Amino acid sequence: MLIPFGKKDGVLVHVNNVENGASCGCICPNCGRPLVAKNRGKKKRQHFAHAVGFECSDYDTMTYLHQYAQDLILAKGSVMLPSYEQRPELSLLDGGRIYGDTVARKAQRHQFDSVKLEVSWSQYRIDCVGTTETRDLFIEITVTHENESEKLGAFKREDVPAIEVDLSQLHNSDRLYDDEAINAAVFNPENGQWLNHPRAENEYVSRLDELKAEQARRNEAIRKQQVEAERQREFKRKVAEAEQRRIDAARQKRRDELSEELEWLDMFNSGEEIQRLKAMPIDEELASNLSVSAPWPITGMPVKGSWIFGVRNEDWQHVVLDFLNLRRKPEFSANDVKRHLVRTVGIHPVMKRLNIARYEAKKQTRKRGKDDSYGAWYLSKEENRKIISPFVPVSEYLKHLVSMSMIARHGENYLLTSNSMKNNVDQMLREREENAKRLALEEEKDRELLEEQQELERVGKGLYKGEIEERARQLATIDNEIFQEERQDACRCANCYFLARSIPADSKCEFCGQFTLTGELEGFDSYNPSLFHKYRCTQVPKKSLRALSRADLLSRYPELFE
C-alpha cells in the first residue's frame, strides 16, 4: 500500500500538506527513515515513498489514520456530536403496542476548552477527552477494531458521556490519500454515535417509567375484558351444549316415532322390489271409468321415482290424462295433478308416511325462519335423498306432455292446448298416422330414386367408357395425319390435348377455342399406327373429354365421327 502519512517535527502530517520531493523534511513514522513526498503527479495518487535504498515492510496505515484523526480533533478543539433519538415502546397483553414520547437530540458541533489524547481512565485508554467547564466528553475513534463491551459498560456505570467516531469506511480506500476526505469523515455527524448519553438516557428512562405505568393500566383493563370474554364464551358454550342436547333429544324422539319406516327405508331393495311395483296393474274399476286412453309415447314413459305409485307407468299416466280431460279450467298446477293421483291411485304407504313427516318437519323449519331445502332436519342427507315425493315423477311427466304439445307452460303452472285432452290425443294419433303414411311414401320415393340413380350409373359407366375410347381414336387420328405431313410447327393444346398444324397468331386452339396452344409437343410426337392403343392407356382422353364435350367437337368437326 502507498504511504499517505509521514512525520515532520514530531507531528503526523498528510502528504497533501507538505512540499514535494525530498525537501518535505518528513520521516517514516514507523522506521524513522527519510521520506520523499510525491504530491504533484497527475496519474498516480499522492503519497510518500522511502528514499532510495530504504524500504519499510510493516507500515500500518490504519494505525496512523487513527492517530491522524486524534490530531485533527486536537487541532480543531471540537467535535461533531451525533444525533440521538430513542422512543420507548412496550407490548400489551392483547398483542398491541404502546409508544411514549421520543427523546431526541440534534447533531451539532461541540467546542472544548481543551482536548487531551490517550488519557488513562480506570483500566482503559481513552482516545480523546474533550473538556468544558461542566464536564468531560470521551471520544473513541474506530478504524478496524470495535470498542469492547466491558469498556462500554464502564461508561454507563460511571455515568460518563461518550461518543464514537467510525472511520471504518476509509479502510483500504482511495480517500486515505485525500486529506479533505479524511477531515470530512472525522467531522461528519453521520459517522458518529453515542456510546453513552447520560442526560438523554435518564430522560428516556423517565419516559419509559411513565409508559410502564400506562402499560399497567391498559393491561389491567385488557385482563378484565379477557376474563369477561372468557366468561361469555363459557356461558355460550353451556347454552350451545344445552341446545344441542335438546335438539338431539328431539331428533331421537322423531326418529323413534318413525323407526319402522326408517328401517324399511334403510333395507329397501331398490332393484327387484321397484320392478315388482312398477309392473302392478291399476284397479280394474278405476281403469274402466277413465275417459281417455292413449298409446305410447303419450303414456308408458319411464319416469324417475314413479314406482311409488305402485302401478305401471302407462296406468298412472292414463289417470293423469283423464284428470286433465275432465278439467273445466284450462290452467292447472303440478300440485293439482299430484293430489289427484294420490287420491285415486295412491302411493306406497311407507313412503307416504315418510313424505308427510318430511313435509311437517320442513314446515317447522320455515316457521323458525331457516332454510328448508335440506329436508327433514332430524334425518340424514342420505335418508332425505331416499324419500321420493310424488311431485317428482308428476313434474317429469308434465314436461313430457309439454314436449309433445299436449299442454303448455304458463309461468309456474300449465295450460291445456284445447278444450279436452281427448281431442288432443285423437289429434295426435291422427297426426302420427298421417306422418307414418307420409314417411312411408317418402321412403318409397327415395327407394325408387335410388334404384333409378344406380341404373343410370351402371349405364353411364358403359357410355363413358365408350366415349373415352372414341376420344382416344380421335386424338390418334389427328396426330397421325399431322405426323405424316411432317409438320415442324405443330403444337398441342394444353386444355383439350388436340394437335394443331401450326400456332395461329392469337395462339387460340381451333378445337376448344381456348388460348392454350403451347408450341411444344407433349406426350406422343411421332407417327405410330398403334397410337390409339397408347392413348387409351393414359389419362389424356379423360382430360380431353372434361375440357371439350363430344357435342362441341361434333358440331365443329363432324368428319371425326364418321
Side-chain angles (χ1 to χ4, degrees):
M1 174 179 283
L2 301 177
I3 300 173
F5 303 107
K7 185 174 284 189
K8 183 175 182 179
D9 299 330
V11 178
L12 200 65
V13 293
H14 194 274
V15 68
N16 294 158
N17 302 323
V18 298
E19 294 181 6
N20 187 45
S23 61
C24 66
C26 297
I27 62 173
C28 176
N30 182 54
C31 66
R33 293 187 177 91
L35 293 176
V36 178
K38 297 184 178 182
N39 55 10
R40 296 294 183 268
K42 296 182 179 180
K43 293 184 178 181
K44 290 187 178 182
R45 293 170 295 183
Q46 298 182 17
H47 64 281
F48 286 112
H50 285 81
V52 177
F54 299 103
E55 202 58 55
C56 183
S57 61
D58 54 351
Y59 181 93
D60 189 351
T61 303
M62 296 301 103
T63 298
Y64 300 121
L65 171 63
H66 187 278
Q67 294 178 12
Y68 190 68
Q70 288 177 294
D71 291 344
L72 289 176
I73 295 172
L74 176 65
K76 291 192 176 183
S78 65
V79 75
M80 287 299 297
L81 297 179
S83 62
Y84 178 97
E85 185 173 317
Q86 195 169 4
R87 187 180 187 186
E89 175 184 355
L90 295 172
S91 60
L92 299 174
L93 290 176
D94 60 358
R97 304 191 71 80
I98 57 173
Y99 302 88
D101 294 334
T102 301
V103 178
R105 299 288 188 273
K106 292 182 179 180
Q108 60 180 342
R109 180 175 291 278
H110 187 68
Q111 192 70 39
F112 302 113
D113 295 335
S114 64
V115 176
K116 296 179 181 179
L117 305 180
E118 298 297 330
V119 178
S120 294
W121 176 80
S122 183
Q123 63 186 34
Y124 304 103
R125 297 285 292 179
I126 309 302
D127 293 336
C128 303
V129 176
T131 303
T132 61
E133 293 180 357
T134 55
R135 66 188 312 175
D136 296 338
L137 175 66
F138 289 3
I139 305 168
E140 290 290 293
I141 300 173
T142 299
V143 177
T144 55
H145 302 291
E146 295 181 355
N147 285 284
E148 300 173 355
S149 59
E150 292 82 0
K151 191 175 186 180
L152 301 179
F155 291 160
K156 293 185 180 295
R157 285 194 304 272
E158 299 299 327
D159 203 27
V160 177
I163 66 170
E164 177 186 62
V165 178
D166 184 5
L167 301 180
S168 59
Q169 74 274 14
L170 297 179
H171 186 261
N172 293 333
S173 169
D174 288 346
R175 288 187 291 168
L176 286 172
Y177 304 94
D178 185 349
D179 183 53
E180 292 182 0
I182 297 174
N183 267 276
V186 171
F187 295 101
N188 184 353
E190 293 184 0
N191 292 335
Q193 65 171 337
W194 283 95
L195 301 177
N196 188 39
H197 196 318
R199 292 178 182 175
E201 291 182 6
N202 288 338
E203 185 179 346
Y204 172 78
V205 170
S206 176
R207 294 185 182 182
L208 182 61
D209 290 339
E210 294 174 359
L211 191 62
K212 286 180 178 178
E214 178 66 18
Q215 179 194 40
R217 289 192 296 271
R218 292 197 186 187
N219 280 340
E220 182 61 26
I222 293 171
R223 193 176 293 106
K224 290 180 179 180
Q225 292 175 356
Q226 290 175 341
V227 170
E228 177 61 21
E230 180 61 29
R231 190 187 67 80
Q232 289 290 339
R233 284 194 294 270
E234 181 65 18
F235 174 75
K236 290 180 180 178
R237 184 183 63 79
K238 291 181 179 179
V239 170
E241 289 178 353
E243 177 66 13
Q244 189 59 47
R245 287 194 296 270
R246 187 191 66 78
I247 292 173
D248 292 342
R251 176 182 288 110
Q252 191 58 48
K253 180 181 177 182
R254 300 292 190 278
R255 293 183 67 86
D256 290 342
E257 293 171 353
L258 292 171
S259 59
E260 293 183 1
E261 288 80 357
L262 293 177
E263 183 179 358
W264 174 87
L265 189 66
D266 183 54
M267 301 298 294
F268 179 68
N269 187 331
S270 59
E272 296 180 1
E273 181 65 12
I274 287 178
Q275 295 303 321
R276 185 188 68 80
L277 293 171
K278 289 170 68 173
M280 294 289 290
I282 198 172
D283 181 75
E284 292 183 3
E285 182 179 354
L286 177 60
S288 63
N289 292 326
L290 296 178
S291 61
V292 63
S293 62
W296 187 88
I298 303 177
T299 60
M301 176 191 174
V303 178
K304 180 182 178 180
S306 62
W307 61 267
I308 65 171
F309 295 123
V311 296
R312 297 174 299 188
N313 284 331
E314 55 266 33
D315 290 337
W316 69 264
Q317 291 169 10
H318 269 120
V319 173
V320 172
L321 295 178
D322 179 70
F323 169 73
L324 298 179
N325 185 54
L326 298 177
R327 282 190 64 80
R328 295 181 180 179
K329 296 181 179 181
E331 186 173 354
F332 63 95
S333 67
N335 207 37
D336 295 333
V337 179
K338 183 203 74 172
R339 284 197 296 267
H340 178 74
L341 272 175
V342 172
R343 286 195 303 268
T344 55
V345 178
I347 64 174
H348 193 284
V350 179
M351 192 60 71
K352 181 178 181 179
R353 293 194 294 273
L354 288 170
N355 267 283
I356 293 172
R358 184 172 65 173
Y359 173 77
E360 293 296 330
K362 293 177 70 172
K363 186 165 67 173
Q364 292 174 4
T365 302
R366 287 194 297 272
K367 284 183 179 180
R368 292 196 296 268
K370 296 183 179 181
D371 182 18
D372 65 343
S373 59
Y374 176 81
W377 58 272
Y378 51 83
L379 299 179
S380 69
K381 185 177 181 179
E382 181 64 17
E383 289 170 338
N384 274 297
R385 187 190 64 80
K386 287 183 177 181
I387 299 175
I388 300 176
S389 169
F391 187 81
V392 174
V394 167
S395 297
E396 289 297 317
Y397 182 57
L398 292 179
K399 289 179 184 178
H400 175 62
L401 293 181
V402 169
S403 69
M404 301 186 71
S405 301
M406 306 293 290
I407 59 176
R409 289 303 301 256
H410 184 65
E412 295 294 325
N413 294 334
Y414 299 86
L415 284 176
L416 295 173
T417 55
S418 68
N419 294 332
S420 71
M421 180 58 66
K422 186 175 185 304
N423 292 341
N424 277 354
V425 173
D426 292 343
Q427 176 64 24
M428 182 178 179
L429 292 177
R430 286 194 297 271
E431 290 177 356
R432 285 186 65 197
E433 185 177 353
E434 291 173 359
N435 287 336
K437 291 180 179 179
R438 179 177 55 79
L439 289 174
L441 290 174
E442 289 178 355
E443 289 177 357
E444 179 62 23
K445 288 182 180 179
D446 290 343
R447 185 183 61 77
E448 292 176 355
L449 180 61
L450 180 61
E451 290 178 354
E452 182 179 348
Q453 290 176 344
Q454 291 174 346
E455 181 63 23
L456 288 175
E457 287 179 3
R458 285 193 296 272
V459 174
K461 286 179 179 179
L463 292 175
Y464 187 58
K465 183 178 180 181
E467 287 188 354
I468 289 175
E469 292 189 354
E470 179 66 16
R471 180 55 54 90
R473 183 187 65 79
Q474 295 163 359
L475 288 167
T477 301
I478 292 177
D479 285 5
N480 281 329
E481 289 179 358
I482 293 175
F483 292 152
Q484 284 177 340
E485 297 174 6
E486 296 183 354
R487 301 287 302 212
Q488 300 299 320
D489 55 349
C491 59
R492 193 177 299 282
C493 178
N495 181 49
C496 66
Y497 290 88
F498 276 100
L499 195 65
R501 287 172 169 77
S502 62
I503 302 178
D506 58 1
S507 299
K508 187 176 181 180
C509 177
E510 62 181 296
F511 294 97
C512 66
Q514 300 295 318
F515 296 95
T516 53
L517 293 176
T518 64
E520 297 180 4
L521 292 180
E522 296 181 2
F524 308 110
D525 55 2
S526 62
Y527 174 79
N528 192 334
S530 62
L531 194 58
F532 161 69
H533 301 286
K534 289 187 176 183
Y535 267 126
R536 193 170 59 173
C537 296
T538 67
Q539 295 295 320
V540 172
K542 289 184 180 180
K543 293 179 181 179
S544 180
L545 281 171
R546 294 192 193 104
L548 184 64
S549 68
R550 185 175 185 275
D552 291 339
L553 193 62
L554 177 64
S555 64
R556 296 180 186 181
Y557 300 95
E559 64 274 8
L560 292 176
F561 297 92
E562 294 177 356

